[in-house]
Amino acid sequence: MKNIKFSLAIVVALTILNCKEAKKDTDGSPDSSNKSLETTGGNLAKTKSQTTDTLTVNMSSKSNSTVSGTITFVQSGTEVEMKAIFTGLDEGPHAIHLHENADCSSQDGKSAGGHWNPTEEAHGKWGSEKGYHKGDIGNFTADKEGRATVTFATDEWCIDCNDENKNIIGRSVIVHKGQDDFTSQPSGDAGSRIACAGITK
């Protein structure tokens, strides 16, 4: 009889212990909570890295040219990629820059002001140790049909951020008749402005 009572007591004790463990797992123990936070945090980080900001602007012809085109800026993380598609160009090399004002109202494009140069560097080829403007994109070449596609990417620009040394909103894209020599100050002696697009949201 004593053996039966003792066995029954063990069974009851084990049952109570199992119930407590099950309750602990469903009530949110530290271990299960941490796993949930890690999963949630991973999902949030993935969503944030995939966030992009896109802006497209249209070129208007200047200086009696027939140039037209669209420029799309895409910011993904800290990098901005620019893709420009142009038509109506003369065959050969042309300079493209960001200028300081989003004002394309004048017929010659000079309402856009000078090169965008918030850090007050000398004009030069992008990445030069001697200095370059934040707007010194460079040169591209139009084909026989007057068409060209330009792609450019940098982490030195941003779309509508709080850093005025990077923010491209309020600037403009200018295409020049000639090519940038990367030497002449302050703008590379690239000739007249034949197309302009204000970068606005």
Side-chain angles (χ1 to χ4, degrees):
M1 186 72 176
K2 287 182 180 178
N3 288 340
I4 293 173
K5 286 183 180 179
F6 182 73
S7 298
L8 184 61
I10 290 175
V11 170
V12 171
L14 287 173
T15 302
I16 292 171
L17 182 61
N18 286 337
C19 287
K20 285 184 178 179
E21 287 297 326
K23 185 177 180 183
K24 182 179 178 183
D25 287 341
T26 56
D27 283 351
S29 67
D31 287 342
S32 62
S33 175
N34 284 340
K35 288 178 183 177
S36 175
L37 286 173
E38 285 173 8
T39 302
T40 303
N43 289 338
L44 286 173
K46 186 176 181 181
T47 302
K48 186 175 180 181
S49 69
Q50 292 173 346
T51 300
T52 60
D53 196 356
T54 302
L55 177 65
T56 300
V57 297
N58 296 314
M59 301 296 291
S60 59
S61 58
K62 298 296 172 186
S63 304
N64 300 315
S65 80
T66 58
V67 179
S68 63
T70 59
I71 302 177
T72 300
F73 298 95
V74 178
Q75 178 160 354
S76 181
T78 60
E79 184 175 82
V80 174
E81 180 180 58
M82 179 193 82
K83 182 174 183 179
I85 301 173
F86 300 120
T87 60
L89 292 158
D90 292 335
E91 182 184 359
H94 298 272
I96 180 171
H97 304 121
L98 295 191
H99 283 241
E100 56 191 350
N101 306 319
D103 182 355
C104 296
S105 60
S106 67
Q107 193 276 336
D108 60 4
K110 290 185 178 179
S111 54
H115 287 187
W116 179 43
N117 184 24
T119 53
E120 299 183 353
E121 299 283 339
H123 170 66
K125 189 172 185 178
W126 186 272
S128 171
E129 293 181 358
K130 296 179 180 179
Y132 58 97
H133 301 159
K134 295 286 186 179
D136 284 343
I137 301 171
N139 296 319
F140 66 93
T141 303
D143 65 17
K144 292 180 180 179
E145 285 73 38
R147 297 175 300 190
T149 299
V150 182
T151 57
F152 181 82
T154 179
D155 62 1
E156 294 188 32
W157 295 353
C158 65
I159 298 175
D160 205 21
C161 68
N162 294 323
D163 187 343
E164 287 306 307
N165 287 340
K166 290 187 173 185
N167 187 12
I168 62 173
I169 299 298
R171 315 304 164 197
S172 60
V173 181
I174 292 285
V175 173
H176 292 266
K177 186 175 181 64
Q179 64 181 320
D180 191 332
D181 64 12
F182 304 122
T183 302
S184 300
Q185 301 297 326
S187 59
D189 194 26
S192 60
R193 304 173 185 195
I194 55 174
C196 179
I199 306 172
T200 57
K201 296 194 81 172

